Amino acid sequence: MDQEIDKKQLEGSGLAGITADCASCPVHHAANLKKLGVDMENWDFVVALAGNPNTGKSTVFNALTGLRQHTGNWPGKTVTRAEGGFEYAEKRYKLVDLPGTYSLLATSLDEEIARDFILFAKPDVTIVVVDASRLERNLNLVLQVLEITNRVVICLNLMDEADRHQMKVDPRRLARDLGVPVVPTVARYDEGLEDLLAAIHEVADGVTLAKPYHVNYDNPKLDRAVSQLVTQIKEVFPGVPNACWVALRLLDGDERIIQAVEDGELGDLTYTQDDLDGASGSHVSHKSGFAQ
Amino acid sequence: MNPDYEKILKSAQDLRWDIGVDFHEKTMEALYTDATRIADRAVTYPEEKPRFDLDRSIDKLVTSRVWGFPLMILMLTFVFWLTITGANYPSSVLFSLLIDKVHPLLKAGVASIGMPWWLDGVLIDGAYLATAWVVSVMLPPMAIFFPLFTLLEDFGYLPRVAFNLDHIFRKAGAHGKQALSMTMGFGCNAAGVISTRIIDSPRERLIAIITNNFSLCNGRWPTQILIATIFIGTMVPAYLGGLISAVSVVAIALLGVLLTFVVSWALSRTILKGEVSTFTLELPPYRPPRILRTLYTSMIDRTLVVLWRAVVFALPAGMILWISANLMISGVSLAEHLVNILNPFGLLLGLNGIILVAYIVAIPANEIVIPTIMMLTVLITGGNGIGAGSGVIFEPESGLATLDILTQGGWTLLTGVNLMLFSLIHNPCSTTIYTIYKETGSAKWTAIASLLPIAMGFVITFFTAQIWRLIAGW
């Protein structure tokens, strides 16, 4: 059945000579990016772009979607959530550019928007764009994202900046330590985007199995409390992928998460068969404005 | 609530007592420790620190206490000088093409198909001329100003501006990031208001929203530039004209910055009292701007978008103006009635009725203030052969001819100066007002943000006029 559809699509797109084997080979995908701009109908996967402020999220966004989201060299420029689409390896992706944040503790509106999206909208892949020349500070956010989801690709951006400061950053070492794919890029000059696309594709498709690193809290009391809560959470909400993180947030008194437990929204975080087939709806509540 | 859910929350609450009060700090500490360890393993630093760090050397200069501000002002003046002198020639070319050549052709065209005089008037003398004026006067300066501004932004200069202004904003009781939203406001106040989202505290965000209007937006730059060129630039020898005009426009822009501080200070001590929040502002590395891409995107994203907006508002405004200038009520046109009503109040402010009417017409878009003023002036003074019939928006070939028309309309240097002041200090345009409402969700704050500046504008122009007249002796 799938095979037939594939063939039809290939014929329709004038690529009839390409066999199914070709279509599944990564080399074939390499020059295969189709920028869809704001055309985001019938997407197969949702991809979120997270990262510290001013690491080049919007530049990556523009390079992949062909849109011209305003970019500028100052932190905090993206204040609204931008969305765009692209097609790669016969799959349609919806890309969401999140505001830049240093953490996901939801202490500000920006952090809340970013956190809620990664948590409640359940993107198929979360790209964390990382400034290679300021790796240590950027990793704080990466480690927090890894606690929420394991479907992560690290885009090690601004490699040229690191070079300029004569720093050597080892992406493979980083990938091994973090347990997720790490792709070095220079998004301003479109370098490394092919590899990034391939990594996104593999995580979205489930080819790459991530074993994300989790922070070692080295606190036996805490470990006991967390594991007790995790057991309870898993009983009530089976299939929640990040029970540990939820437990930590509950212990910390995070009101948004407490509320998600109260109204059972946490149950939606379960990955169902529908989600794995793609086309999940967005549950994100987009806040705008504030009442005085 | 589902009892199972309740049980989870209950045990979370109980466990919270067990794990100790410093648990939050400890988990954060663990996170930082792990981040440091992983980063250390992946990064090799150079053995020797490079002796010369370009970024740091530039930063020392542009954020220095002594040179920071002069450099900022110098750079701003240079950008405006380039804009004013550079826009002159393309503006006059566009003008002579669209108005001296195409307009008569269009008139001849519609005359040959026998279009009724009123339709011809509304479409050609109203809508077309208003649009042609806006395009020829606005396009060239924008096409120069926006790319220059975007290059500075791309290079990484804006956060340095914020850094320089931070301590002033702090003293004013506002958030240092307001420097960034203020700078965005120099492009467009509606965009500036949206960009205040980077400020977390609602109190400081409101201050930033209310004062954003004091950033001279691109709808008002052309007014400033034109009036400065014809009233102030003509007072000095021609070779200094461009520079002096640029300096006076910068002076108005700086007055706007000063007002931002003063009003922020006043608000934070009256209706918006509260603590100043601290924040960290990263000074990003300087990056060589990608010049071609910048030119392209600033052309598409800023110049054409803004121009399109101006055109969309100029079209109907041109029609309405033509109709109001030709709709006679007891022998006098509707426009003239309005001007006469507002004239006494206008003169009190060192302005006149025409300017006030123009500002009412231009509430949707400040871009069309000057064309409206010109049209009404010609209409009221009878034109004396300079215009082309009643209600025709037109632009004489050079600044000097504009000066002639305006002097005939009773304008003095005071009128010019006060128009520049009033153009800086009046209500935001309707798009901005709507944006403020959307962002604050409050009619009260929208009203304050709209009415406060116009009240200030009345007060400031009034006192300027009184003091001016005292000194000038009439």
Side-chain angles (χ1 to χ4, degrees):
Chain A
M1 189 51 184
D2 277 346
Q3 204 78 351
E4 273 175 38
I5 293 171
D6 270 348
K7 247 188 215 159
K8 256 186 216 157
Q9 280 177 343
L10 290 177
E11 276 161 13
S13 59
L15 297 169
I18 293 167
T19 65
D21 283 346
C22 282
S24 64
C25 164
V27 178
H28 164 69
H29 297 151
N32 216 1
L33 171 67
K34 212 160 115 193
K35 298 172 182 181
L36 297 174
V38 288
D39 170 22
M40 292 173 292
E41 294 296 299
N42 309 317
W43 26 269
D44 300 299
F45 298 115
V46 178
V47 179
L49 261 176
N52 281 16
N54 212 35
T55 51
K57 287 175 297 301
S58 300
T59 310
V60 172
F61 179 86
N62 289 349
L64 294 183
T65 59
L67 288 172
R68 290 182 318 269
Q69 173 77 355
H70 181 69
T71 60
N73 188 6
W74 53 284
K77 161 203 60 59
T78 304
V79 283
T80 44
R81 214 179 69 202
E83 301 187 353
F86 64 90
E87 193 179 308
Y88 178 77
E90 275 114 50
K91 297 283 190 212
R92 293 169 73 90
Y93 291 82
K94 180 166 111 171
L95 188 61
V96 181
D97 190 12
L98 298 172
T101 56
Y102 293 105
S103 87
L104 290 180
L105 297 176
T107 51
S108 71
L109 187 63
D110 285 355
E111 292 185 7
E112 202 176 312
I113 291 175
R115 208 246 338 243
D116 282 2
F117 191 84
I118 297 174
L119 185 63
F120 294 110
K122 294 182 288 176
D124 297 283
V125 183
T126 301
I127 308 172
V128 187
V129 183
V130 162
D131 180 348
S133 64
R134 288 163 164 75
L135 191 58
E136 183 182 331
R137 199 194 44 213
N138 280 248
L139 282 182
N140 292 328
L141 177 72
V142 171
L143 291 176
Q144 292 182 44
V145 173
L146 288 181
E147 298 201 323
I148 300 182
T149 168
N150 58 0
R151 301 170 144 249
V152 173
V153 173
I154 307 292
C155 169
L156 192 59
N157 195 27
L158 298 172
M159 286 297 277
D160 53 339
E161 281 296 324
D163 275 351
R164 198 158 71 88
H165 292 103
Q166 291 160 37
M167 299 161 62
K168 287 198 182 63
V169 187
D170 183 354
R172 290 166 69 186
R173 178 92 222 195
L174 199 57
R176 228 175 319 157
D177 283 351
L178 293 174
V180 291
V182 174
V183 184
T185 61
V186 185
R188 260 157 71 80
Y189 297 98
D190 290 339
E191 285 171 29
L193 293 180
E194 284 305 337
D195 297 337
L196 181 64
L197 282 165
I200 296 169
H201 176 69
E202 285 179 0
V203 171
D205 244 9
V207 178
T208 304
L209 285 178
K211 287 205 192 91
Y213 176 83
H214 283 231
V215 177
N216 174 17
Y217 291 111
D218 199 21
N219 181 345
K221 266 189 193 164
L222 179 64
D223 289 347
R224 234 174 299 136
V226 168
S227 68
Q228 189 187 328
L229 266 182
V230 165
T231 323
Q232 276 183 296
I233 292 168
K234 281 191 168 161
E235 259 170 39
V236 183
F237 303 106
V240 165
N242 35 32
C244 256
W245 183 82
V246 173
L248 269 172
R249 296 317 301 154
L250 287 178
L251 287 172
D252 209 2
D254 188 317
E255 285 181 11
R256 179 72 184 85
I257 306 301
I258 291 176
Q259 192 205 328
V261 173
E262 273 175 5
D263 52 28
E265 192 182 356
L266 207 61
D268 296 343
L269 296 189
T270 315
Y271 279 93
T272 62
Q273 197 51 44
D274 273 358
D275 292 325
L276 299 175
D277 294 342
S280 64
S282 162
H283 302 292
V284 118
S285 56
H286 189 67
K287 271 196 180 175
S288 73
F290 51 86
Q292 193 51 23
Chain B
M1 204 200 312
N2 182 319
D4 282 341
Y5 301 168
E6 213 160 344
K7 231 167 68 192
I8 294 179
L9 295 180
K10 179 79 175 63
S11 51
Q13 216 162 30
D14 295 343
L15 287 166
R16 208 173 293 155
W17 295 109
D18 288 351
I19 53 176
V21 279
D22 57 347
F23 134 82
H24 182 83
E25 284 71 29
K26 277 207 172 135
T27 49
M28 288 317 286
E29 225 174 272
L31 184 80
Y32 282 106
T33 315
D34 278 13
T36 312
R37 195 171 44 78
I38 296 174
D40 276 350
R41 280 154 62 104
V43 183
T44 333
Y45 290 93
E47 303 208 340
E48 270 180 72
K49 276 265 169 204
R51 260 174 301 170
F52 176 72
D53 187 330
L54 183 65
D55 281 27
R56 197 161 299 166
S57 311
I58 300 179
D59 269 346
K60 269 198 185 139
L61 197 63
V62 298
T63 62
S64 94
R65 283 180 181 267
V66 184
W67 296 108
F69 278 97
L71 274 175
M72 225 160 65
I73 292 169
L74 212 67
M75 203 156 344
L76 205 62
T77 312
F78 178 69
V79 166
F80 286 123
W81 176 78
L82 265 186
T83 308
I84 290 175
T85 44
N88 229 338
Y89 178 72
S91 257
S92 60
V93 169
L94 268 178
F95 188 82
S96 71
L97 178 76
L98 291 177
I99 292 172
D100 295 345
K101 300 225 164 59
V102 176
H103 181 240
L105 279 179
L106 284 175
K107 289 293 268 187
V110 295
S112 69
I113 59 168
M115 193 182 269
W117 69 275
W118 56 268
L119 192 57
D120 167 13
V122 167
L123 290 182
I124 311 296
D125 294 335
Y128 172 76
L129 273 185
T131 314
W133 197 94
V134 164
V135 170
S136 61
V137 169
M138 289 190 61
L139 181 59
M142 284 194 314
I144 299 172
F145 178 71
F146 285 146
L148 287 176
F149 190 80
T150 316
L151 283 177
L152 278 182
E153 187 185 347
D154 235 26
F155 179 58
Y157 186 61
L158 289 196
R160 274 78 188 181
V161 171
F163 183 87
N164 284 340
L165 297 179
D166 172 51
H167 65 278
I168 306 183
F169 275 112
R170 187 178 300 268
K171 275 188 196 132
H175 199 290
K177 281 189 195 167
Q178 197 177 324
L180 289 172
S181 65
M182 184 182 83
T183 336
M184 289 312 281
F186 282 129
C188 167
N189 293 142
V193 168
I194 291 177
S195 76
T196 61
R197 289 185 194 172
I198 55 175
I199 300 171
D200 300 326
S201 131
R203 179 189 80 86
E204 289 160 336
R205 199 176 156 207
L206 274 173
I207 294 180
I209 288 176
I210 294 171
T211 54
N212 196 271
N213 186 44
F214 296 119
S215 294
L216 209 51
C217 71
N218 69 67
R220 297 179 274 168
W221 289 116
T223 311
Q224 298 289 349
I225 291 172
L226 189 79
I227 297 296
T229 312
I230 64 176
F231 275 99
I232 296 167
T234 49
M235 286 168 35
V236 294
Y239 65 94
L240 280 176
L243 185 63
I244 295 298
S245 311
V247 168
S248 55
V249 174
V250 170
I252 290 285
L254 289 180
L255 176 66
V257 175
L258 183 70
L259 284 174
T260 305
F261 292 138
V262 172
V263 174
S264 301
W265 180 83
L267 286 172
S268 72
R269 267 157 194 74
T270 52
I271 46 176
L272 285 169
K273 272 188 203 149
E275 290 296 306
V276 177
S277 44
T278 52
F279 72 105
T280 45
L281 178 76
E282 221 180 310
L283 293 185
Y286 292 102
R287 289 172 193 152
R290 305 207 50 190
I291 293 179
L292 285 181
R293 185 178 287 184
T294 304
L295 288 182
Y296 175 77
T297 49
S298 68
M299 193 68 198
I300 303 290
D301 291 351
R302 290 191 159 159
T303 311
L304 289 185
V305 166
V306 169
L307 187 71
W308 176 243
R309 197 180 92 91
V311 166
V312 164
F313 283 110
L315 270 169
M319 294 189 199
I320 290 168
L321 277 176
W322 189 88
I323 294 170
S324 70
N326 285 278
L327 197 67
M328 296 297 170
I329 299 166
S330 53
V332 183
S333 74
L334 179 63
E336 210 169 336
H337 275 301
L338 268 177
V339 168
N340 289 337
I341 292 168
L342 290 174
N343 212 24
F345 183 54
L347 288 176
L348 202 63
L349 302 179
L351 301 166
N352 55 40
I354 291 175
I355 296 176
L356 293 182
V357 171
Y359 268 97
I360 295 170
V361 173
I363 284 177
N366 283 300
E367 289 84 342
I368 55 175
V369 163
I370 290 286
T372 313
I373 288 175
M374 299 297 297
M375 189 279 289
L376 290 171
T377 305
V378 172
L379 175 76
I380 305 293
T381 56
N384 290 353
I386 316 175
S390 45
V392 177
I393 288 184
F394 75 104
E395 159 79 347
E397 290 83 315
S398 73
L400 276 177
T402 314
L403 183 60
D404 288 344
I405 295 170
L406 292 178
T407 342
Q408 268 183 19
W411 284 52
T412 61
L413 181 58
L414 170 65
T415 326
V417 169
N418 264 1
L419 175 58
M420 285 173 80
L421 285 174
F422 190 68
S423 157
L424 172 71
I425 317 160
H426 70 284
N427 55 292
C429 73
S430 57
T431 314
T432 306
I433 295 176
Y434 177 65
T435 311
I436 293 174
Y437 180 71
K438 264 200 325 201
E439 290 295 316
T440 61
S442 143
K444 176 186 146 201
W445 290 112
T446 311
I448 290 176
S450 313
L451 299 177
L452 181 72
I454 187 132
M456 286 175 61
F458 286 152
V459 171
I460 288 174
T461 48
F462 174 77
F463 280 108
T464 311
Q466 300 316 312
I467 292 166
W468 188 291
R469 282 169 186 158
L470 262 180
I471 293 170
W474 60 272

